[in-house]
Short mmCIF file of all heavy atoms in Angstrom, two decimals:
data_model
loop_
_atom_site.label_atom_id
_atom_site.label_comp_id
_atom_site.label_asym_id
_atom_site.label_seq_id
_atom_site.Cartn_x
_atom_site.Cartn_y
_atom_site.Cartn_z
N ASN A 230 0.83 -1.19 -0.03
CA ASN A 230 0.01 0.05 -0.01
C ASN A 230 0.85 1.25 -0.01
O ASN A 230 0.45 2.30 -0.58
CB ASN A 230 -0.92 0.03 1.22
CG ASN A 230 -2.19 -0.76 0.95
OD1 ASN A 230 -2.58 -1.01 -0.26
ND2 ASN A 230 -2.97 -1.07 1.96
N GLN A 231 2.04 1.20 0.65
CA GLN A 231 2.90 2.33 0.60
C GLN A 231 3.40 2.56 -0.87
O GLN A 231 3.51 3.69 -1.28
CB GLN A 231 4.09 2.10 1.52
CG GLN A 231 3.76 2.13 3.00
CD GLN A 231 4.91 1.97 3.89
OE1 GLN A 231 6.11 2.01 3.45
NE2 GLN A 231 4.70 1.69 5.18
N ALA A 232 3.64 1.45 -1.57
CA ALA A 232 4.08 1.60 -2.99
C ALA A 232 2.93 2.16 -3.81
O ALA A 232 3.16 3.03 -4.66
CB ALA A 232 4.54 0.25 -3.53
N LEU A 233 1.69 1.67 -3.56
CA LEU A 233 0.57 2.19 -4.33
C LEU A 233 0.29 3.65 -4.05
O LEU A 233 -0.01 4.43 -4.97
CB LEU A 233 -0.71 1.40 -3.91
CG LEU A 233 -0.74 -0.07 -4.34
CD1 LEU A 233 -2.01 -0.73 -3.85
CD2 LEU A 233 -0.71 -0.20 -5.88
N TYR A 234 0.51 4.13 -2.78
CA TYR A 234 0.35 5.49 -2.42
C TYR A 234 1.45 6.33 -3.13
O TYR A 234 1.16 7.42 -3.62
CB TYR A 234 0.47 5.61 -0.91
CG TYR A 234 0.39 7.04 -0.44
CD1 TYR A 234 -0.84 7.69 -0.35
CD2 TYR A 234 1.51 7.76 -0.10
CE1 TYR A 234 -0.99 9.03 0.10
CE2 TYR A 234 1.42 9.09 0.32
CZ TYR A 234 0.20 9.72 0.42
OH TYR A 234 0.14 11.02 0.87
N THR A 235 2.63 5.81 -3.20
CA THR A 235 3.73 6.53 -3.86
C THR A 235 3.45 6.72 -5.33
O THR A 235 3.79 7.80 -5.92
CB THR A 235 5.05 5.76 -3.68
OG1 THR A 235 5.33 5.60 -2.29
CG2 THR A 235 6.21 6.52 -4.33
N TRP A 236 2.81 5.74 -5.97
CA TRP A 236 2.55 5.83 -7.39
C TRP A 236 1.21 6.51 -7.67
O TRP A 236 0.82 6.60 -8.86
CB TRP A 236 2.48 4.37 -8.01
CG TRP A 236 3.82 3.70 -7.92
CD1 TRP A 236 5.06 4.26 -7.92
CD2 TRP A 236 4.04 2.29 -7.79
NE1 TRP A 236 6.05 3.34 -7.79
CE2 TRP A 236 5.46 2.06 -7.72
CE3 TRP A 236 3.20 1.17 -7.77
CZ2 TRP A 236 6.03 0.84 -7.65
CZ3 TRP A 236 3.80 -0.10 -7.67
CH2 TRP A 236 5.15 -0.24 -7.58
N GLY A 237 0.50 6.97 -6.62
CA GLY A 237 -0.71 7.70 -6.83
C GLY A 237 -1.90 6.82 -7.12
O GLY A 237 -2.92 7.26 -7.71
N LEU A 238 -1.79 5.50 -6.78
CA LEU A 238 -2.89 4.53 -7.04
C LEU A 238 -3.73 4.39 -5.76
O LEU A 238 -3.28 4.62 -4.66
CB LEU A 238 -2.29 3.20 -7.46
CG LEU A 238 -1.43 3.23 -8.74
CD1 LEU A 238 -0.84 1.86 -9.00
CD2 LEU A 238 -2.32 3.65 -9.97
N PRO A 239 -5.01 3.95 -5.93
CA PRO A 239 -5.85 3.76 -4.79
C PRO A 239 -5.37 2.58 -3.89
O PRO A 239 -4.88 1.58 -4.41
CB PRO A 239 -7.25 3.43 -5.38
CG PRO A 239 -6.93 2.94 -6.73
CD PRO A 239 -5.71 3.72 -7.19
N LEU A 240 -5.52 2.80 -2.59
CA LEU A 240 -5.04 1.77 -1.67
C LEU A 240 -6.05 0.58 -1.62
O LEU A 240 -7.21 0.77 -1.92
CB LEU A 240 -4.93 2.36 -0.24
CG LEU A 240 -3.94 3.52 -0.10
CD1 LEU A 240 -3.89 3.96 1.36
CD2 LEU A 240 -2.59 3.23 -0.65
N ILE A 241 -5.50 -0.59 -1.30
CA ILE A 241 -6.33 -1.83 -1.26
C ILE A 241 -6.25 -2.44 0.14
O ILE A 241 -5.13 -2.56 0.63
CB ILE A 241 -5.86 -2.88 -2.34
CG1 ILE A 241 -5.97 -2.20 -3.68
CG2 ILE A 241 -6.69 -4.15 -2.26
CD1 ILE A 241 -5.42 -3.12 -4.83
N ASN A 242 -7.35 -2.76 0.69
CA ASN A 242 -7.40 -3.52 1.97
C ASN A 242 -7.20 -4.98 1.63
O ASN A 242 -8.18 -5.78 1.60
CB ASN A 242 -8.69 -3.22 2.72
CG ASN A 242 -8.62 -3.67 4.14
OD1 ASN A 242 -7.61 -4.27 4.61
ND2 ASN A 242 -9.67 -3.47 4.92
N TRP A 243 -5.97 -5.41 1.47
CA TRP A 243 -5.65 -6.74 0.92
C TRP A 243 -6.27 -7.86 1.76
O TRP A 243 -6.77 -8.82 1.25
CB TRP A 243 -4.14 -6.89 0.84
CG TRP A 243 -3.45 -5.95 -0.06
CD1 TRP A 243 -2.87 -4.78 0.26
CD2 TRP A 243 -3.29 -6.11 -1.46
NE1 TRP A 243 -2.35 -4.15 -0.77
CE2 TRP A 243 -2.62 -4.95 -1.92
CE3 TRP A 243 -3.67 -7.04 -2.38
CZ2 TRP A 243 -2.28 -4.74 -3.24
CZ3 TRP A 243 -3.37 -6.85 -3.74
CH2 TRP A 243 -2.67 -5.72 -4.15
N LEU A 244 -6.10 -7.77 3.09
CA LEU A 244 -6.49 -8.88 3.97
C LEU A 244 -8.02 -8.85 4.31
O LEU A 244 -8.49 -9.80 5.00
CB LEU A 244 -5.70 -8.82 5.26
CG LEU A 244 -4.18 -8.91 5.12
CD1 LEU A 244 -3.50 -8.82 6.43
CD2 LEU A 244 -3.83 -10.19 4.40
N GLU A 245 -8.75 -7.88 3.84
CA GLU A 245 -10.16 -7.87 4.08
C GLU A 245 -10.95 -7.80 2.75
O GLU A 245 -12.04 -7.25 2.64
CB GLU A 245 -10.57 -6.59 4.87
CG GLU A 245 -10.03 -6.63 6.31
CD GLU A 245 -10.65 -7.71 7.17
OE1 GLU A 245 -11.78 -8.16 6.83
OE2 GLU A 245 -9.97 -8.19 8.13
N SER A 246 -10.35 -8.36 1.74
CA SER A 246 -10.94 -8.43 0.40
C SER A 246 -10.73 -9.80 -0.23
O SER A 246 -10.05 -10.65 0.43
CB SER A 246 -10.26 -7.37 -0.49
OG SER A 246 -8.93 -7.74 -0.74
N PRO A 247 -11.35 -10.09 -1.33
CA PRO A 247 -11.14 -11.45 -2.00
C PRO A 247 -9.65 -11.73 -2.27
O PRO A 247 -9.29 -12.91 -2.48
CB PRO A 247 -11.96 -11.36 -3.28
CG PRO A 247 -13.03 -10.37 -2.95
CD PRO A 247 -12.40 -9.34 -1.99
N HIS A 248 -8.81 -10.68 -2.30
CA HIS A 248 -7.37 -10.95 -2.47
C HIS A 248 -6.79 -11.77 -1.36
O HIS A 248 -5.73 -12.37 -1.53
CB HIS A 248 -6.63 -9.62 -2.59
CG HIS A 248 -7.04 -8.70 -3.69
ND1 HIS A 248 -6.73 -9.05 -5.01
CD2 HIS A 248 -7.68 -7.51 -3.69
CE1 HIS A 248 -7.20 -8.08 -5.77
NE2 HIS A 248 -7.77 -7.17 -5.04
N ALA A 249 -7.49 -11.82 -0.19
CA ALA A 249 -6.93 -12.52 0.94
C ALA A 249 -6.77 -14.04 0.64
O ALA A 249 -5.85 -14.66 1.14
CB ALA A 249 -7.88 -12.33 2.16
N PHE A 250 -7.65 -14.59 -0.19
CA PHE A 250 -7.59 -16.00 -0.55
C PHE A 250 -6.26 -16.31 -1.25
O PHE A 250 -5.55 -17.27 -0.93
CB PHE A 250 -8.75 -16.40 -1.43
CG PHE A 250 -8.71 -17.82 -1.92
CD1 PHE A 250 -9.19 -18.84 -1.10
CD2 PHE A 250 -8.15 -18.19 -3.15
CE1 PHE A 250 -9.15 -20.17 -1.51
CE2 PHE A 250 -8.10 -19.46 -3.55
CZ PHE A 250 -8.61 -20.49 -2.74
N TRP A 251 -5.90 -15.46 -2.19
CA TRP A 251 -4.67 -15.68 -2.93
C TRP A 251 -3.45 -15.41 -2.10
O TRP A 251 -2.33 -15.98 -2.30
CB TRP A 251 -4.65 -14.91 -4.26
CG TRP A 251 -5.81 -15.31 -5.12
CD1 TRP A 251 -6.94 -14.56 -5.34
CD2 TRP A 251 -5.95 -16.53 -5.81
NE1 TRP A 251 -7.81 -15.25 -6.16
CE2 TRP A 251 -7.21 -16.45 -6.48
CE3 TRP A 251 -5.17 -17.62 -5.96
CZ2 TRP A 251 -7.66 -17.51 -7.28
CZ3 TRP A 251 -5.59 -18.68 -6.75
CH2 TRP A 251 -6.85 -18.59 -7.39
N ILE A 252 -3.54 -14.47 -1.15
CA ILE A 252 -2.41 -14.23 -0.24
C ILE A 252 -2.15 -15.42 0.62
O ILE A 252 -1.03 -15.86 0.82
CB ILE A 252 -2.71 -12.99 0.64
CG1 ILE A 252 -2.77 -11.72 -0.22
CG2 ILE A 252 -1.69 -12.82 1.77
CD1 ILE A 252 -3.26 -10.46 0.48
N VAL A 253 -3.27 -16.03 1.15
CA VAL A 253 -3.13 -17.23 1.95
C VAL A 253 -2.64 -18.38 1.09
O VAL A 253 -1.80 -19.18 1.56
CB VAL A 253 -4.48 -17.60 2.59
CG1 VAL A 253 -4.43 -18.95 3.30
CG2 VAL A 253 -4.92 -16.51 3.60
N MET A 254 -3.05 -18.48 -0.10
CA MET A 254 -2.54 -19.52 -1.01
C MET A 254 -1.05 -19.40 -1.29
O MET A 254 -0.28 -20.34 -1.25
CB MET A 254 -3.30 -19.49 -2.37
CG MET A 254 -2.84 -20.49 -3.37
SD MET A 254 -3.08 -22.19 -2.86
CE MET A 254 -4.94 -22.20 -2.84
N LEU A 255 -0.59 -18.13 -1.49
CA LEU A 255 0.83 -17.89 -1.67
C LEU A 255 1.61 -18.24 -0.42
O LEU A 255 2.67 -18.82 -0.48
CB LEU A 255 1.01 -16.42 -2.02
CG LEU A 255 2.47 -15.94 -2.29
CD1 LEU A 255 3.03 -16.65 -3.53
CD2 LEU A 255 2.50 -14.45 -2.47
N LEU A 256 1.06 -17.91 0.76
CA LEU A 256 1.68 -18.24 2.02
C LEU A 256 1.79 -19.79 2.17
O LEU A 256 2.82 -20.29 2.63
CB LEU A 256 0.88 -17.69 3.17
CG LEU A 256 1.31 -18.08 4.58
CD1 LEU A 256 2.73 -17.56 4.85
CD2 LEU A 256 0.36 -17.50 5.59
N TYR A 257 0.74 -20.48 1.81
CA TYR A 257 0.76 -21.99 1.90
C TYR A 257 1.82 -22.56 1.01
O TYR A 257 2.54 -23.47 1.43
CB TYR A 257 -0.66 -22.48 1.52
CG TYR A 257 -0.71 -23.99 1.29
CD1 TYR A 257 -0.54 -24.86 2.31
CD2 TYR A 257 -0.96 -24.43 0.02
CE1 TYR A 257 -0.59 -26.25 2.06
CE2 TYR A 257 -1.02 -25.83 -0.26
CZ TYR A 257 -0.83 -26.72 0.76
OH TYR A 257 -0.91 -28.05 0.50
N LEU A 258 1.88 -22.10 -0.24
CA LEU A 258 2.90 -22.61 -1.17
C LEU A 258 4.29 -22.32 -0.66
O LEU A 258 5.21 -23.19 -0.69
CB LEU A 258 2.65 -22.01 -2.55
CG LEU A 258 1.37 -22.41 -3.28
CD1 LEU A 258 1.23 -21.65 -4.57
CD2 LEU A 258 1.33 -23.91 -3.52
N TRP A 259 4.55 -21.07 -0.20
CA TRP A 259 5.88 -20.69 0.22
C TRP A 259 6.27 -21.53 1.43
O TRP A 259 7.44 -21.93 1.57
CB TRP A 259 5.85 -19.19 0.56
CG TRP A 259 7.10 -18.73 1.27
CD1 TRP A 259 8.35 -18.48 0.65
CD2 TRP A 259 7.30 -18.49 2.64
NE1 TRP A 259 9.24 -18.10 1.62
CE2 TRP A 259 8.61 -18.09 2.82
CE3 TRP A 259 6.44 -18.52 3.76
CZ2 TRP A 259 9.17 -17.74 4.06
CZ3 TRP A 259 6.94 -18.17 4.98
CH2 TRP A 259 8.29 -17.78 5.17
N LYS A 260 5.33 -21.81 2.35
CA LYS A 260 5.70 -22.47 3.61
C LYS A 260 5.85 -23.97 3.44
O LYS A 260 6.67 -24.55 4.15
CB LYS A 260 4.59 -22.15 4.63
CG LYS A 260 4.93 -22.54 6.06
CD LYS A 260 3.89 -22.10 7.01
CE LYS A 260 4.19 -22.54 8.47
NZ LYS A 260 5.43 -21.92 9.00
N ASN A 261 5.16 -24.60 2.52
CA ASN A 261 5.12 -26.06 2.48
C ASN A 261 5.74 -26.71 1.25
O ASN A 261 5.87 -27.93 1.24
CB ASN A 261 3.65 -26.51 2.58
CG ASN A 261 3.00 -26.17 3.87
OD1 ASN A 261 3.24 -26.73 4.90
ND2 ASN A 261 2.11 -25.14 3.78
N THR A 262 6.08 -25.90 0.23
CA THR A 262 6.70 -26.49 -0.94
C THR A 262 8.02 -27.21 -0.63
O THR A 262 8.30 -28.33 -1.15
CB THR A 262 6.92 -25.46 -2.01
OG1 THR A 262 5.67 -24.89 -2.44
CG2 THR A 262 7.65 -26.02 -3.25
N GLY A 263 8.81 -26.62 0.21
CA GLY A 263 10.11 -27.22 0.53
C GLY A 263 10.03 -28.57 1.14
O GLY A 263 10.83 -29.49 0.86
N TYR A 264 9.02 -28.81 1.99
CA TYR A 264 8.84 -30.14 2.58
C TYR A 264 8.53 -31.21 1.50
O TYR A 264 9.08 -32.28 1.54
CB TYR A 264 7.71 -30.05 3.64
CG TYR A 264 7.55 -31.30 4.48
CD1 TYR A 264 8.48 -31.59 5.50
CD2 TYR A 264 6.57 -32.23 4.24
CE1 TYR A 264 8.35 -32.68 6.27
CE2 TYR A 264 6.46 -33.35 5.03
CZ TYR A 264 7.31 -33.62 6.04
OH TYR A 264 7.24 -34.72 6.80
N SER A 265 7.65 -30.84 0.58
CA SER A 265 7.38 -31.77 -0.54
C SER A 265 8.63 -31.99 -1.41
O SER A 265 8.78 -33.11 -1.93
CB SER A 265 6.23 -31.22 -1.38
OG SER A 265 5.04 -31.15 -0.59
N VAL A 266 9.40 -30.99 -1.56
CA VAL A 266 10.65 -31.11 -2.34
C VAL A 266 11.55 -32.16 -1.72
O VAL A 266 12.08 -33.03 -2.46
CB VAL A 266 11.41 -29.75 -2.46
CG1 VAL A 266 12.81 -29.98 -3.03
CG2 VAL A 266 10.62 -28.80 -3.32
N VAL A 267 11.71 -32.18 -0.41
CA VAL A 267 12.55 -33.16 0.27
C VAL A 267 12.00 -34.56 0.07
O VAL A 267 12.75 -35.51 -0.20
CB VAL A 267 12.71 -32.77 1.70
CG1 VAL A 267 13.45 -33.86 2.49
CG2 VAL A 267 13.39 -31.44 1.87
#
């Protein structure tokens, strides 16, 4: 949001919008991919 504000774009409430699903999905992949790799 700080980057969006700097570029003059509207701020987004990421964690209170449908974007939250994809944020959680990204977190799940980042956290658990390494275990499956091993």
Side-chain angles (χ1 to χ4, degrees):
N230 273 345
Q231 291 181 15
L233 293 176
Y234 178 78
T235 302
W236 297 331
L238 298 175
L240 303 183
I241 301 175
N242 193 356
W243 298 95
L244 300 179
E245 295 294 335
S246 68
H248 298 291
F250 178 85
W251 299 107
I252 294 173
V253 173
M254 179 63 66
L255 181 63
L256 173 63
Y257 166 69
L258 294 174
W259 172 77
K260 191 173 178 65
N261 297 285
T262 297
Y264 189 76
S265 297
V266 168
V267 173

